[in-house]
């Protein structure tokens, strides 16, 4: 590749960064990194009525959490208004655009008549200059819009890097408004000027933009700009095959952080939404960059699979450093009003429990019992702590007061208690688990005892025996 690759992610700050946008950002970032290029972040905030500072912050937070670092930007379109207006003035001067005084009422009448004639509703070019055409005098009190002189014939075509060859007849495209009556430029025009000024070589975006592409190509050519290569990513469907909704994935990327997913798991999962490298399912960010190309993006819709994401997250949790997880769990406990300093050290417990959880929320749920004033459900006590079990726990407590506090010694103390009381291991271990954390299942009970510490174990046993 001879040119320096420059990609961009250009979200509109009208909401959070969702999974579809995050995948677009990831693919754009990865393509630039793969080819030693630059990744540009641009905030397309010309929709003043819907754009908010909170949405900008949410987008930046999501990008930071995913560690998709941009090389340039963020650039804000609202700060580039003078550039767009100058470009529009040049377009008018060179005959590529013109003032149109058609009112909204006139447009409504035109479209209604076209529908009645079974025609495609479109602007009819009534104010478009043409050789020999005499235009009426501009009506008083009607502020004009500016329309682009779209070519009247021929075809606009491009080789989409995902969808293949796409060709649209120019006669299907009417003269697009590029500046509103109040002078503000429109989305399709701003995008073209931005991509030109920023030297964007590859536009990777969702396929909801396919219909914009022929218009943008024509505008870029009129500007004298180099037309970038386009790659339109297919939509993402939910688990049920329907359009992605909030109940299965169309939520803020930061909600995945809140729900206990690791960023590297989300990155790995997003990478596999519509792209593949053979049969590889699990790979690092670095491997993804080395492998990523546009040729292996599928043109068909990708399907979100919550269970696959959970599986990947469980995998990355097992690999994660316990100290790192401990910092996160401590924060989650604190947000629940639980003091992480009020119980045993977190890291040994995380080592015991992290393979039993798919998310950090599940891990926090499991560990919370070690740090709160535990209230065991009466039915749980009745089910598991009968007289023989309480007697065994009293005998065990006596041994635990003096035995060495390591797994080997603790396991031996439990075995001796079983033998003394004539009980099998589950008849002692399950009541012991219930007494300590209110649950009949835990990791290896000797390891749980070791992590809990002598003082806390004896205190909890004393409450039930």
């Amino acid at each position: 590749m001879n040119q320096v690759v420059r990609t961009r992610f250009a979200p509109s700050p009208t909401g959070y960064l969702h999974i579809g946008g995050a995948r677009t950002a990831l693919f754009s970032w990865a393509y630039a990194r793969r080819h030693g290029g630059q990744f540009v972040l641009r905030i397309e905030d010309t929709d003043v009525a819907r754009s908010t500072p909170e949405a900008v912050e949410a987008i930046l937070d999501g990008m930071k959490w995913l560690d998709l670092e941009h090389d340039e930007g963020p650039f804000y379109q609202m700060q580039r208004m003078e550039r767009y207006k100058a470009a529009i003035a040049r377009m008018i001067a060179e005959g590529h655009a013109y003032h149109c005084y058609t009112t909204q009422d006139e447009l409504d009448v035109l479209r209604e008549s076209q529908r009645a004639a079974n025609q495609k509703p479109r602007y009819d070019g009534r104010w478009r200059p043409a050789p020999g055409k005499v235009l009426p005098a501009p009506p008083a009190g009607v502020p004009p819009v500016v329309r682009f002189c779209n070519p009247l014939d021929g075809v606009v075509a491009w080789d989409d890097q995902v969808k293949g060859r796409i060709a649209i007849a120019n006669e299907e495209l009417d003269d697009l408004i590029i500046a509103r009556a109040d002078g503000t430029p429109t989305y399709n025009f701003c995008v073209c000027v931005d991509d030109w000024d920023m030297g964007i070589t590859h536009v990777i975006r969702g396929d909801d933009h396919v219909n914009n592409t022929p218009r943008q190509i024509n505008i870029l050519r009129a500007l004298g700009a180099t037309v970038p290569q386009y790659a339109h990513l297919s939509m993402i469907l939910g688990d049920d095959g329907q359009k992605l909704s909030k109940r299965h994935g169309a939520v803020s990327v930061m909600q995945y952080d809140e729900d206990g997913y690791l960023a590297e798991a989300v990155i790995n999962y997003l990478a596999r939404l519509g792209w593949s490298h053979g049969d590889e399912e699990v790979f690092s960010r670095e491997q993804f960059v080395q492998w990523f190309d546009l040729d292996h993006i599928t043109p068909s819709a990708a399907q979100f699979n919550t269970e696959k994401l959970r599986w990947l997250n469980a995998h990355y949790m097992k690999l994660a450093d316990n100290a790192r997880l401990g910092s996160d769990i401590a924060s989650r406990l604190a947000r629940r009003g639980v003091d992480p300093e009020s119980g045993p050290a977190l890291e040994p417990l995380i080592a015991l429990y992290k393979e039993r959880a798919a998310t950090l929320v599940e891990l926090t749920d499991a560990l919370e019992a070690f740090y709160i004033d535990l209230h065991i459900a009466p039915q749980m006590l009745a089910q598991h702590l009968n007289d023989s079990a309480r007697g065994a726990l009293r005998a065990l407590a006596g041994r635990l007061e003096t035995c060495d506090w390591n797994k080997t010694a603790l396991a031996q103390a439990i075995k001796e208690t079983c033998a003394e009381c004539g009980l099998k291991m589950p008849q002692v271990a399950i009541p012991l688990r219930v007494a300590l954390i209110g649950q009949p299942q835990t990791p290896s009970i000797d390891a749980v005892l070791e992590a809990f510490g002598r003082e806390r174990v004896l205190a909890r046993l004393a409450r039930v025996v």
Side-chain angles (χ1 to χ4, degrees), residues 413-445:
I414 296 172
K415 289 178 182 177
E416 291 175 358
T417 301
C418 290
E420 175 187 335
C421 299
L423 299 174
K424 295 179 180 180
M425 176 63 72
Q427 293 175 295
V428 175
I430 292 177
L432 178 57
R433 290 182 170 99
V434 170
L436 294 179
I437 63 167
Q439 296 293 330
Q441 295 180 334
T442 70
S444 174
I445 188 59

PDB file of all heavy atoms in Angstrom, residues 413-445:
ATOM      1  N   ALA A 413      -8.132 -31.301  59.726  1.00  0.00           N
ATOM      2  CA  ALA A 413      -9.044 -31.026  60.842  1.00  0.00           C
ATOM      3  C   ALA A 413     -10.470 -31.434  60.486  1.00  0.00           C
ATOM      4  O   ALA A 413     -11.202 -31.992  61.313  1.00  0.00           O
ATOM      5  CB  ALA A 413      -8.989 -29.541  61.208  1.00  0.00           C
ATOM      6  N   ILE A 414     -10.873 -31.174  59.247  1.00  0.00           N
ATOM      7  CA  ILE A 414     -12.218 -31.560  58.811  1.00  0.00           C
ATOM      8  C   ILE A 414     -12.346 -33.077  58.760  1.00  0.00           C
ATOM      9  O   ILE A 414     -13.359 -33.652  59.204  1.00  0.00           O
ATOM     10  CB  ILE A 414     -12.535 -30.931  57.441  1.00  0.00           C
ATOM     11  CG1 ILE A 414     -12.557 -29.395  57.550  1.00  0.00           C
ATOM     12  CG2 ILE A 414     -13.889 -31.426  56.922  1.00  0.00           C
ATOM     13  CD1 ILE A 414     -12.678 -28.681  56.219  1.00  0.00           C
ATOM     14  N   LYS A 415     -11.327 -33.760  58.227  1.00  0.00           N
ATOM     15  CA  LYS A 415     -11.364 -35.225  58.148  1.00  0.00           C
ATOM     16  C   LYS A 415     -11.453 -35.842  59.545  1.00  0.00           C
ATOM     17  O   LYS A 415     -12.221 -36.788  59.780  1.00  0.00           O
ATOM     18  CB  LYS A 415     -10.115 -35.740  57.434  1.00  0.00           C
ATOM     19  CG  LYS A 415     -10.089 -35.440  55.943  1.00  0.00           C
ATOM     20  CD  LYS A 415      -8.793 -35.937  55.307  1.00  0.00           C
ATOM     21  CE  LYS A 415      -8.739 -35.585  53.825  1.00  0.00           C
ATOM     22  NZ  LYS A 415      -7.465 -35.996  53.197  1.00  0.00           N
ATOM     23  N   GLU A 416     -10.688 -35.314  60.489  1.00  0.00           N
ATOM     24  CA  GLU A 416     -10.720 -35.837  61.858  1.00  0.00           C
ATOM     25  C   GLU A 416     -12.085 -35.618  62.487  1.00  0.00           C
ATOM     26  O   GLU A 416     -12.601 -36.472  63.228  1.00  0.00           O
ATOM     27  CB  GLU A 416      -9.636 -35.161  62.691  1.00  0.00           C
ATOM     28  CG  GLU A 416      -8.217 -35.572  62.285  1.00  0.00           C
ATOM     29  CD  GLU A 416      -7.164 -34.788  63.039  1.00  0.00           C
ATOM     30  OE1 GLU A 416      -7.541 -33.901  63.846  1.00  0.00           O
ATOM     31  OE2 GLU A 416      -5.959 -35.034  62.812  1.00  0.00           O
ATOM     32  N   THR A 417     -12.698 -34.489  62.188  1.00  0.00           N
ATOM     33  CA  THR A 417     -14.038 -34.215  62.715  1.00  0.00           C
ATOM     34  C   THR A 417     -15.061 -35.190  62.139  1.00  0.00           C
ATOM     35  O   THR A 417     -15.946 -35.692  62.863  1.00  0.00           O
ATOM     36  CB  THR A 417     -14.441 -32.763  62.398  1.00  0.00           C
ATOM     37  OG1 THR A 417     -13.496 -31.859  62.991  1.00  0.00           O
ATOM     38  CG2 THR A 417     -15.834 -32.461  62.921  1.00  0.00           C
ATOM     39  N   CYS A 418     -14.958 -35.470  60.853  1.00  0.00           N
ATOM     40  CA  CYS A 418     -15.865 -36.441  60.216  1.00  0.00           C
ATOM     41  C   CYS A 418     -15.732 -37.806  60.894  1.00  0.00           C
ATOM     42  O   CYS A 418     -16.737 -38.468  61.213  1.00  0.00           O
ATOM     43  CB  CYS A 418     -15.542 -36.576  58.723  1.00  0.00           C
ATOM     44  SG  CYS A 418     -15.976 -35.119  57.737  1.00  0.00           S
ATOM     45  N   ALA A 419     -14.488 -38.229  61.125  1.00  0.00           N
ATOM     46  CA  ALA A 419     -14.260 -39.533  61.746  1.00  0.00           C
ATOM     47  C   ALA A 419     -14.792 -39.559  63.164  1.00  0.00           C
ATOM     48  O   ALA A 419     -15.429 -40.539  63.602  1.00  0.00           O
ATOM     49  CB  ALA A 419     -12.761 -39.836  61.736  1.00  0.00           C
ATOM     50  N   GLU A 420     -14.553 -38.488  63.906  1.00  0.00           N
ATOM     51  CA  GLU A 420     -14.994 -38.426  65.310  1.00  0.00           C
ATOM     52  C   GLU A 420     -16.514 -38.491  65.405  1.00  0.00           C
ATOM     53  O   GLU A 420     -17.059 -39.158  66.315  1.00  0.00           O
ATOM     54  CB  GLU A 420     -14.481 -37.129  65.938  1.00  0.00           C
ATOM     55  CG  GLU A 420     -14.990 -36.900  67.365  1.00  0.00           C
ATOM     56  CD  GLU A 420     -14.606 -35.530  67.904  1.00  0.00           C
ATOM     57  OE1 GLU A 420     -13.595 -34.946  67.427  1.00  0.00           O
ATOM     58  OE2 GLU A 420     -15.326 -35.031  68.778  1.00  0.00           O
ATOM     59  N   CYS A 421     -17.214 -37.825  64.481  1.00  0.00           N
ATOM     60  CA  CYS A 421     -18.669 -37.726  64.562  1.00  0.00           C
ATOM     61  C   CYS A 421     -19.384 -38.801  63.736  1.00  0.00           C
ATOM     62  O   CYS A 421     -20.624 -38.855  63.732  1.00  0.00           O
ATOM     63  CB  CYS A 421     -19.129 -36.341  64.114  1.00  0.00           C
ATOM     64  SG  CYS A 421     -18.479 -34.980  65.112  1.00  0.00           S
ATOM     65  N   GLY A 422     -18.618 -39.639  63.054  1.00  0.00           N
ATOM     66  CA  GLY A 422     -19.221 -40.683  62.239  1.00  0.00           C
ATOM     67  C   GLY A 422     -20.005 -40.143  61.053  1.00  0.00           C
ATOM     68  O   GLY A 422     -21.039 -40.706  60.675  1.00  0.00           O
ATOM     69  N   LEU A 423     -19.520 -39.060  60.465  1.00  0.00           N
ATOM     70  CA  LEU A 423     -20.201 -38.421  59.339  1.00  0.00           C
ATOM     71  C   LEU A 423     -19.316 -38.451  58.094  1.00  0.00           C
ATOM     72  O   LEU A 423     -18.089 -38.516  58.189  1.00  0.00           O
ATOM     73  CB  LEU A 423     -20.537 -36.966  59.675  1.00  0.00           C
ATOM     74  CG  LEU A 423     -21.469 -36.735  60.867  1.00  0.00           C
ATOM     75  CD1 LEU A 423     -21.578 -35.247  61.163  1.00  0.00           C
ATOM     76  CD2 LEU A 423     -22.851 -37.333  60.592  1.00  0.00           C
ATOM     77  N   LYS A 424     -19.963 -38.384  56.922  1.00  0.00           N
ATOM     78  CA  LYS A 424     -19.223 -38.290  55.674  1.00  0.00           C
ATOM     79  C   LYS A 424     -18.853 -36.823  55.421  1.00  0.00           C
ATOM     80  O   LYS A 424     -19.452 -35.896  55.987  1.00  0.00           O
ATOM     81  CB  LYS A 424     -20.056 -38.837  54.528  1.00  0.00           C
ATOM     82  CG  LYS A 424     -20.343 -40.326  54.645  1.00  0.00           C
ATOM     83  CD  LYS A 424     -21.189 -40.811  53.479  1.00  0.00           C
ATOM     84  CE  LYS A 424     -21.478 -42.311  53.615  1.00  0.00           C
ATOM     85  NZ  LYS A 424     -22.316 -42.806  52.487  1.00  0.00           N
ATOM     86  N   MET A 425     -17.888 -36.637  54.536  1.00  0.00           N
ATOM     87  CA  MET A 425     -17.378 -35.286  54.276  1.00  0.00           C
ATOM     88  C   MET A 425     -18.485 -34.285  53.934  1.00  0.00           C
ATOM     89  O   MET A 425     -18.522 -33.185  54.523  1.00  0.00           O
ATOM     90  CB  MET A 425     -16.323 -35.328  53.159  1.00  0.00           C
ATOM     91  CG  MET A 425     -15.789 -33.974  52.745  1.00  0.00           C
ATOM     92  SD  MET A 425     -14.895 -33.097  54.081  1.00  0.00           S
ATOM     93  CE  MET A 425     -13.398 -34.098  54.162  1.00  0.00           C
ATOM     94  N   PRO A 426     -19.422 -34.576  52.993  1.00  0.00           N
ATOM     95  CA  PRO A 426     -20.459 -33.589  52.683  1.00  0.00           C
ATOM     96  C   PRO A 426     -21.328 -33.232  53.887  1.00  0.00           C
ATOM     97  O   PRO A 426     -21.852 -32.114  53.967  1.00  0.00           O
ATOM     98  CB  PRO A 426     -21.293 -34.264  51.593  1.00  0.00           C
ATOM     99  CG  PRO A 426     -20.364 -35.268  50.981  1.00  0.00           C
ATOM    100  CD  PRO A 426     -19.510 -35.753  52.109  1.00  0.00           C
ATOM    101  N   GLN A 427     -21.478 -34.166  54.851  1.00  0.00           N
ATOM    102  CA  GLN A 427     -22.326 -33.904  56.018  1.00  0.00           C
ATOM    103  C   GLN A 427     -21.701 -32.872  56.962  1.00  0.00           C
ATOM    104  O   GLN A 427     -22.388 -32.302  57.811  1.00  0.00           O
ATOM    105  CB  GLN A 427     -22.602 -35.206  56.763  1.00  0.00           C
ATOM    106  CG  GLN A 427     -23.467 -36.182  55.979  1.00  0.00           C
ATOM    107  CD  GLN A 427     -23.627 -37.504  56.695  1.00  0.00           C
ATOM    108  OE1 GLN A 427     -22.646 -38.254  56.884  1.00  0.00           O
ATOM    109  NE2 GLN A 427     -24.863 -37.803  57.110  1.00  0.00           N
ATOM    110  N   VAL A 428     -20.409 -32.640  56.794  1.00  0.00           N
ATOM    111  CA  VAL A 428     -19.727 -31.605  57.576  1.00  0.00           C
ATOM    112  C   VAL A 428     -19.424 -30.384  56.709  1.00  0.00           C
ATOM    113  O   VAL A 428     -19.636 -29.234  57.119  1.00  0.00           O
ATOM    114  CB  VAL A 428     -18.420 -32.147  58.198  1.00  0.00           C
ATOM    115  CG1 VAL A 428     -17.658 -31.022  58.908  1.00  0.00           C
ATOM    116  CG2 VAL A 428     -18.718 -33.284  59.161  1.00  0.00           C
ATOM    117  N   ALA A 429     -18.944 -30.638  55.477  1.00  0.00           N
ATOM    118  CA  ALA A 429     -18.497 -29.538  54.625  1.00  0.00           C
ATOM    119  C   ALA A 429     -19.653 -28.630  54.205  1.00  0.00           C
ATOM    120  O   ALA A 429     -19.510 -27.396  54.175  1.00  0.00           O
ATOM    121  CB  ALA A 429     -17.787 -30.090  53.390  1.00  0.00           C
ATOM    122  N   ILE A 430     -20.822 -29.204  53.880  1.00  0.00           N
ATOM    123  CA  ILE A 430     -21.942 -28.365  53.442  1.00  0.00           C
ATOM    124  C   ILE A 430     -22.471 -27.494  54.582  1.00  0.00           C
ATOM    125  O   ILE A 430     -22.648 -26.276  54.401  1.00  0.00           O
ATOM    126  CB  ILE A 430     -23.055 -29.234  52.821  1.00  0.00           C
ATOM    127  CG1 ILE A 430     -22.561 -29.835  51.499  1.00  0.00           C
ATOM    128  CG2 ILE A 430     -24.329 -28.421  52.604  1.00  0.00           C
ATOM    129  CD1 ILE A 430     -23.547 -30.768  50.828  1.00  0.00           C
ATOM    130  N   PRO A 431     -22.725 -28.038  55.783  1.00  0.00           N
ATOM    131  CA  PRO A 431     -23.112 -27.157  56.883  1.00  0.00           C
ATOM    132  C   PRO A 431     -22.057 -26.091  57.183  1.00  0.00           C
ATOM    133  O   PRO A 431     -22.408 -24.952  57.546  1.00  0.00           O
ATOM    134  CB  PRO A 431     -23.277 -28.118  58.059  1.00  0.00           C
ATOM    135  CG  PRO A 431     -23.612 -29.426  57.433  1.00  0.00           C
ATOM    136  CD  PRO A 431     -22.809 -29.462  56.175  1.00  0.00           C
ATOM    137  N   LEU A 432     -20.787 -26.457  57.018  1.00  0.00           N
ATOM    138  CA  LEU A 432     -19.714 -25.488  57.249  1.00  0.00           C
ATOM    139  C   LEU A 432     -19.806 -24.334  56.240  1.00  0.00           C
ATOM    140  O   LEU A 432     -19.670 -23.157  56.618  1.00  0.00           O
ATOM    141  CB  LEU A 432     -18.366 -26.199  57.150  1.00  0.00           C
ATOM    142  CG  LEU A 432     -17.108 -25.328  57.308  1.00  0.00           C
ATOM    143  CD1 LEU A 432     -17.121 -24.579  58.644  1.00  0.00           C
ATOM    144  CD2 LEU A 432     -15.852 -26.207  57.194  1.00  0.00           C
ATOM    145  N   ARG A 433     -20.049 -24.654  55.002  1.00  0.00           N
ATOM    146  CA  ARG A 433     -20.197 -23.610  53.980  1.00  0.00           C
ATOM    147  C   ARG A 433     -21.383 -22.698  54.299  1.00  0.00           C
ATOM    148  O   ARG A 433     -21.281 -21.468  54.207  1.00  0.00           O
ATOM    149  CB  ARG A 433     -20.400 -24.261  52.604  1.00  0.00           C
ATOM    150  CG  ARG A 433     -19.169 -24.961  52.043  1.00  0.00           C
ATOM    151  CD  ARG A 433     -19.457 -25.525  50.647  1.00  0.00           C
ATOM    152  NE  ARG A 433     -18.253 -25.989  49.989  1.00  0.00           N
ATOM    153  CZ  ARG A 433     -17.865 -27.251  49.930  1.00  0.00           C
ATOM    154  NH1 ARG A 433     -18.604 -28.200  50.523  1.00  0.00           N
ATOM    155  NH2 ARG A 433     -16.744 -27.589  49.314  1.00  0.00           N
ATOM    156  N   VAL A 434     -22.499 -23.303  54.679  1.00  0.00           N
ATOM    157  CA  VAL A 434     -23.681 -22.507  55.007  1.00  0.00           C
ATOM    158  C   VAL A 434     -23.402 -21.595  56.201  1.00  0.00           C
ATOM    159  O   VAL A 434     -23.785 -20.420  56.217  1.00  0.00           O
ATOM    160  CB  VAL A 434     -24.883 -23.432  55.286  1.00  0.00           C
ATOM    161  CG1 VAL A 434     -26.060 -22.640  55.868  1.00  0.00           C
ATOM    162  CG2 VAL A 434     -25.302 -24.158  54.013  1.00  0.00           C
ATOM    163  N   ALA A 435     -22.713 -22.109  57.191  1.00  0.00           N
ATOM    164  CA  ALA A 435     -22.401 -21.311  58.379  1.00  0.00           C
ATOM    165  C   ALA A 435     -21.496 -20.129  58.046  1.00  0.00           C
ATOM    166  O   ALA A 435     -21.627 -19.045  58.632  1.00  0.00           O
ATOM    167  CB  ALA A 435     -21.746 -22.197  59.440  1.00  0.00           C
ATOM    168  N   LEU A 436     -20.594 -20.327  57.103  1.00  0.00           N
ATOM    169  CA  LEU A 436     -19.619 -19.282  56.791  1.00  0.00           C
ATOM    170  C   LEU A 436     -20.165 -18.225  55.835  1.00  0.00           C
ATOM    171  O   LEU A 436     -19.992 -17.024  56.066  1.00  0.00           O
ATOM    172  CB  LEU A 436     -18.356 -19.898  56.203  1.00  0.00           C
ATOM    173  CG  LEU A 436     -17.522 -20.782  57.138  1.00  0.00           C
ATOM    174  CD1 LEU A 436     -16.311 -21.329  56.408  1.00  0.00           C
ATOM    175  CD2 LEU A 436     -17.088 -20.005  58.374  1.00  0.00           C
ATOM    176  N   ILE A 437     -20.809 -18.658  54.736  1.00  0.00           N
ATOM    177  CA  ILE A 437     -21.237 -17.674  53.729  1.00  0.00           C
ATOM    178  C   ILE A 437     -22.685 -17.845  53.292  1.00  0.00           C
ATOM    179  O   ILE A 437     -23.122 -17.197  52.346  1.00  0.00           O
ATOM    180  CB  ILE A 437     -20.315 -17.714  52.491  1.00  0.00           C
ATOM    181  CG1 ILE A 437     -20.383 -19.077  51.797  1.00  0.00           C
ATOM    182  CG2 ILE A 437     -18.897 -17.360  52.843  1.00  0.00           C
ATOM    183  CD1 ILE A 437     -19.755 -19.071  50.428  1.00  0.00           C
ATOM    184  N   GLY A 438     -23.425 -18.723  53.956  1.00  0.00           N
ATOM    185  CA  GLY A 438     -24.843 -18.837  53.662  1.00  0.00           C
ATOM    186  C   GLY A 438     -25.161 -19.573  52.389  1.00  0.00           C
ATOM    187  O   GLY A 438     -26.297 -19.501  51.904  1.00  0.00           O
ATOM    188  N   GLN A 439     -24.188 -20.286  51.797  1.00  0.00           N
ATOM    189  CA  GLN A 439     -24.402 -21.025  50.564  1.00  0.00           C
ATOM    190  C   GLN A 439     -23.860 -22.450  50.711  1.00  0.00           C
ATOM    191  O   GLN A 439     -22.807 -22.640  51.330  1.00  0.00           O
ATOM    192  CB  GLN A 439     -23.695 -20.341  49.385  1.00  0.00           C
ATOM    193  CG  GLN A 439     -24.220 -18.956  49.052  1.00  0.00           C
ATOM    194  CD  GLN A 439     -25.646 -18.995  48.522  1.00  0.00           C
ATOM    195  OE1 GLN A 439     -26.049 -19.966  47.897  1.00  0.00           O
ATOM    196  NE2 GLN A 439     -26.403 -17.920  48.775  1.00  0.00           N
ATOM    197  N   PRO A 440     -24.546 -23.440  50.149  1.00  0.00           N
ATOM    198  CA  PRO A 440     -24.089 -24.818  50.293  1.00  0.00           C
ATOM    199  C   PRO A 440     -22.973 -25.208  49.338  1.00  0.00           C
ATOM    200  O   PRO A 440     -22.420 -26.303  49.450  1.00  0.00           O
ATOM    201  CB  PRO A 440     -25.347 -25.637  50.004  1.00  0.00           C
ATOM    202  CG  PRO A 440     -26.147 -24.776  49.083  1.00  0.00           C
ATOM    203  CD  PRO A 440     -25.873 -23.363  49.505  1.00  0.00           C
ATOM    204  N   GLN A 441     -22.646 -24.318  48.377  1.00  0.00           N
ATOM    205  CA  GLN A 441     -21.587 -24.613  47.420  1.00  0.00           C
ATOM    206  C   GLN A 441     -20.544 -23.510  47.420  1.00  0.00           C
ATOM    207  O   GLN A 441     -20.882 -22.329  47.401  1.00  0.00           O
ATOM    208  CB  GLN A 441     -22.166 -24.784  46.012  1.00  0.00           C
ATOM    209  CG  GLN A 441     -23.101 -25.983  45.874  1.00  0.00           C
ATOM    210  CD  GLN A 441     -23.658 -26.113  44.473  1.00  0.00           C
ATOM    211  OE1 GLN A 441     -23.770 -25.130  43.741  1.00  0.00           O
ATOM    212  NE2 GLN A 441     -24.010 -27.337  44.093  1.00  0.00           N
ATOM    213  N   THR A 442     -19.293 -23.918  47.450  1.00  0.00           N
ATOM    214  CA  THR A 442     -18.161 -22.996  47.383  1.00  0.00           C
ATOM    215  C   THR A 442     -17.018 -23.731  46.696  1.00  0.00           C
ATOM    216  O   THR A 442     -17.102 -24.933  46.455  1.00  0.00           O
ATOM    217  CB  THR A 442     -17.687 -22.561  48.786  1.00  0.00           C
ATOM    218  OG1 THR A 442     -17.059 -23.689  49.432  1.00  0.00           O
ATOM    219  CG2 THR A 442     -18.813 -22.025  49.636  1.00  0.00           C
ATOM    220  N   PRO A 443     -15.929 -23.025  46.413  1.00  0.00           N
ATOM    221  CA  PRO A 443     -14.716 -23.751  46.031  1.00  0.00           C
ATOM    222  C   PRO A 443     -14.269 -24.655  47.185  1.00  0.00           C
ATOM    223  O   PRO A 443     -14.936 -24.730  48.228  1.00  0.00           O
ATOM    224  CB  PRO A 443     -13.714 -22.628  45.760  1.00  0.00           C
ATOM    225  CG  PRO A 443     -14.543 -21.415  45.486  1.00  0.00           C
ATOM    226  CD  PRO A 443     -15.759 -21.570  46.341  1.00  0.00           C
ATOM    227  N   SER A 444     -13.145 -25.319  47.033  1.00  0.00           N
ATOM    228  CA  SER A 444     -12.620 -26.227  48.051  1.00  0.00           C
ATOM    229  C   SER A 444     -12.710 -25.597  49.439  1.00  0.00           C
ATOM    230  O   SER A 444     -12.203 -24.496  49.671  1.00  0.00           O
ATOM    231  CB  SER A 444     -11.170 -26.568  47.723  1.00  0.00           C
ATOM    232  OG  SER A 444     -10.597 -27.334  48.749  1.00  0.00           O
ATOM    233  N   ILE A 445     -13.372 -26.301  50.366  1.00  0.00           N
ATOM    234  CA  ILE A 445     -13.664 -25.698  51.665  1.00  0.00           C
ATOM    235  C   ILE A 445     -12.411 -25.398  52.468  1.00  0.00           C
ATOM    236  O   ILE A 445     -12.370 -24.409  53.203  1.00  0.00           O
ATOM    237  CB  ILE A 445     -14.643 -26.603  52.475  1.00  0.00           C
ATOM    238  CG1 ILE A 445     -15.106 -25.878  53.743  1.00  0.00           C
ATOM    239  CG2 ILE A 445     -14.014 -27.938  52.769  1.00  0.00           C
ATOM    240  CD1 ILE A 445     -15.819 -24.568  53.503  1.00  0.00           C
TER     241      ILE A 445
END
